[in-house]
Amino acid sequence: MMARMAAWAQAFGPVRTAFLASLLLSFVAAQGHLVNRDGIYYLETARAFLEDGWLAGWKAGEWPFLPMLITALSFVTKVSLETTAQMLNALFLAGTCALLTGITRRRLPEAAWLACLVVLAMPAYNQYRNEILREYGFWFFSLLGFWLAMRWSDTQRWREAVLCQAALAVAALFRLEAIAFYPALMLWQAFGAPAGHRMRRALLIGSLPLAGAMLAAALFGSGWIDLPNRMAYYLEAANPLRALQIIHEAAGRMSEAVFKYKYSREEAGYILFFGLLSVIPMKFLKMTGVFVVPLAYRCAVSPGRNVLSPWQPLPWAFLAYVLVLVAFVTHQFFLVGRYVSLLNLLAVPLVASGLALLMQRFPRWKAPMLVLALLTMAANVVSLSPGKAHIVEAGRWLGANAADPSRVGVDNARIAHYAGWRTSGSVILDRTALTKALAGQRVDRVAIEVSRKDADAEKWLAENRLQVERRFANKAGDAVIVAVPAQVQPSPATSGRSRANTASTE
């Protein structure tokens, strides 16, 4: 039986296995999870496209390519926007997993199955499978561009060179950071191509972005087209002089508030700068999880050039994206984990080759290594924490019973989303702002999310003279409380529904 399964797996191949297994993991991860906050924004922009037209949808979102894609597919397939978005993201991530497995098989065939395992188990990006994000398209088309660049390097055919640059252009429609990969590819050829061909190959692999840059400079410089706000933001973030100015100003404020001694105050700028930079490797290592061991082993057993040279242009892309993250973290002073995830994706072939070396060096530990990887894979998509269906129930109840959404204040955008309201027109405030809205009679009903550890919720309700109209709770004791001012009595129809459903929701 085991021999038959092994023969079937060998015939099926690691690339197709990575694709289909990724789809299965995404399906498992999506069960019982709510739409993430970024996902709500993309779905609302897609809804604006669908209901109000393309011009209104374009104005509703700053970077609307993903919502446009969701809208188009939903319109063609007649599937809901949320389901379409989840399917689209699942396909993008499955394609990313298949591409990384294919890249590894191309350069190191004996590590292909291990790459399939690693790419499906690494926490850095697999933990986001239940969320609707732009990153999936960014990751897929970036990896597609690198895969095509590898093929072009082997064949020197024009088709691969053009398709490689086109794939990165599509990746930039999801996240503009993909533009940084064009100079990475050009530097790869400028340093790695055979002598006498370096300049020609560098210009060839960068021909489309160079032409686009000259055209954009002419259009923006002449004033025919205004520079988009998002592009202006990226240019400002990439300006090292502006970054140094921001750090200097922040260090001045920090030195007075934090540092006790004069000598440490003088070094405040250095402390802040290098402290911010340390966020990048720390997040990278943390999200690598247990696979940091084979990654470190692979880097330790061979000189750096021998480790990186088989995987070009991925190391150049890694370096380019590190610089992007440096620009971001020094501009915004924070870094979300998923922004670093592309670095972990680019490291998958190295991790797979390191795992293969570990298994050769320590054959007795092969089974425990595989079991640990499989457990990590399961932990990424299976959650044992109580579900949050009470937020969905509260939202749907409000959608059915609140006549005017603008008179309902909520402290969680998900409640408004599941009520069927557009968050752009909803009253979404924290409790302090909700207190002011109640005092100013701008809202006459509130819905607040209350953790089981939140001891201040009842006190807040009493201070604002609110009476509980409905309470939706999960098994762990987390709840959404819908409340109205004490002098306002709910309508008979509403209170009748409330009594009828109390047993099922508390």
Side-chain angles (χ1 to χ4, degrees), residues 379-395:
N380 291 328
V381 298
V382 177
S383 175
L384 301 179
S385 60
K388 296 185 177 181
H390 60 290
I391 296 178
V392 180
E393 294 175 6

Side-chain angles (χ1 to χ4, degrees), residues 87-104:
M87 291 172 57
L88 190 62
N89 284 342
L91 287 170
F92 280 146
L93 188 52
T96 301
C97 293
L99 284 169
L100 279 168
T101 306
I103 287 172
T104 307

Side-chain angles (χ1 to χ4, degrees), residues 54-75:
W54 293 99
L55 183 60
W58 185 268
K59 293 180 179 178
E62 292 185 357
W63 206 255
F65 183 72
L66 176 59
M68 289 173 62
L69 195 57
I70 293 171
T71 303
L73 290 177
S74 177
F75 180 79

Side-chain angles (χ1 to χ4, degrees), residues 407 438-439 441 443-444 461-468 483-491:
R407 300 292 300 173
L438 287 164
Q441 297 184 350
V443 297
D444 48 31
L461 292 172
E463 288 175 349
N464 290 277
R465 298 179 180 178
L466 297 171
Q467 66 179 19
V468 177
V484 295
Q487 66 271 20
V488 178
Q489 298 296 328
S491 66

